[in-house]
Amino acid sequence: MSVDRGRLSAGGEDAGHVGTNKRYADAIDRRSAEHLQRTLMRIPPCTIPMQAYGPRELEWPTDWPTVWAWISWPHKPAERVAAVARGWNDRVVVVFWMSEAGELNTVVWRNAVTRRAA
């Protein structure tokens, strides 16, 4: 038996990394993938800074129209989501939507939003 750069071999065969138990490798891989997915779900969407809102005040109506909104993310491509517009002006829209991580919200450019049927 010999040890060569972190690998253990017996009888000329590669036995894998030292400390790795092949019996549990699939369970460990599955848990790692689930942890990564939970971590990625917590990354917030990109939002428009307040300086870009322009001079007009945001309107905050009590009736929230349903919309399609393009949401930008720092770690994945933009996606179109079914959302609710809760506030807006001539430049930006504040949208809320439900995801696997719960309720999310962000501010997007007005041209990234279109009305949809409820």
Side-chain angles (χ1 to χ4, degrees), residues 4-109:
D4 180 29
R5 292 187 185 177
R7 293 198 177 264
L8 179 65
S9 60
E13 293 183 26
D14 184 13
H17 291 326
V18 173
T20 300
N21 188 327
K22 289 182 182 183
R23 185 169 151 194
Y24 299 109
D26 289 340
I28 292 169
D29 289 346
R30 194 169 33 258
R31 277 198 318 232
S32 294
E34 290 168 0
H35 182 265
L36 176 62
Q37 190 62 27
R38 283 192 307 271
T39 301
L40 291 175
M41 280 194 319
R42 289 193 305 260
I43 297 174
C46 299
T47 193
I48 305 297
M50 287 185 70
Q51 296 85 345
Y53 291 10
R56 290 196 180 162
E57 292 289 321
L58 290 174
E59 297 176 32
W60 300 100
T62 55
D63 184 31
W64 302 327
T66 56
V67 297
W68 290 109
W70 283 99
I71 307 299
S72 296
W73 301 91
H75 66 293
K76 64 181 182 178
E79 65 181 333
R80 186 177 178 219
V81 300
V84 175
R86 292 199 182 167
W88 58 80
N89 68 10
D90 62 324
R91 292 187 185 185
V92 298
V93 180
V94 181
V95 293
F96 284 70
W97 71 99
M98 291 303 295
S99 75
E100 292 178 18
E103 185 178 64
L104 296 175
N105 66 79
T106 193
V107 180
V108 297
W109 293 114

